[in-house]
């Protein structure tokens, strides 16, 4: 089993084993900044979120769908540039 990542005073569980990400965990797992996350969310390009009490979480399924959508957008952009 992989050791948990230690950041400051908080121990963060291995993201691959988590059922849902916090926004900070999602950003670390996908190697994007939180400011980029909120920018993309404001543009309608963020993952689906669920409210759990006062927290916003991103399920593993929503994260997978988001990655697939980002990959599709990159492929579409690449094809469009090749056709131009």
């Amino acid at each position: 089993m992989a050791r948990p990542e230690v950041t400051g005073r908080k121990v963060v569980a291995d993201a691959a084993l988590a059922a849902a990400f916090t926004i900070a965990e999602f950003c670390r797992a996908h190697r994007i900044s939180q400011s980029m996350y909120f920018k993309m969310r404001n543009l309608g390009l963020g993952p689906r979120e669920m409210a759990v009490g006062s927290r916003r979480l991103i399920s593993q399924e929503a994260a997978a769908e988001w990655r697939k959508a980002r990959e599709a957008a990159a492929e579409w952009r690449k094809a469009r540039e090749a056709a131009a």
Side-chain angles (χ1 to χ4, degrees):
M1 180 184 235
R3 285 183 53 192
E5 176 186 348
V6 178
T7 57
R9 297 184 338 193
K10 184 175 181 180
V11 176
V12 179
D14 184 5
L17 300 176
F21 296 103
T22 63
I23 290 173
E25 289 168 341
F26 178 86
C27 291
R28 278 193 299 277
H30 293 88
R31 297 186 172 154
I32 62 172
S33 67
Q34 287 189 43
S35 62
M36 176 57 78
Y37 174 88
F38 290 112
K39 184 185 291 186
M40 291 180 74
R41 185 176 79 175
N42 291 341
L43 292 171
L45 300 174
R48 284 182 295 110
E49 297 177 356
M50 58 184 168
V52 180
S54 62
R55 301 174 73 192
R56 306 296 281 177
L57 298 177
I58 300 138
S59 68
Q60 287 285 351
E61 296 81 6
E65 290 170 10
W66 178 81
R67 287 189 302 271
K68 195 169 195 167
R70 296 297 90 229
E71 290 170 355
E75 288 298 319
W76 179 82
R77 228 178 286 113
K78 184 178 174 182
R80 195 174 98 182
E81 290 171 359

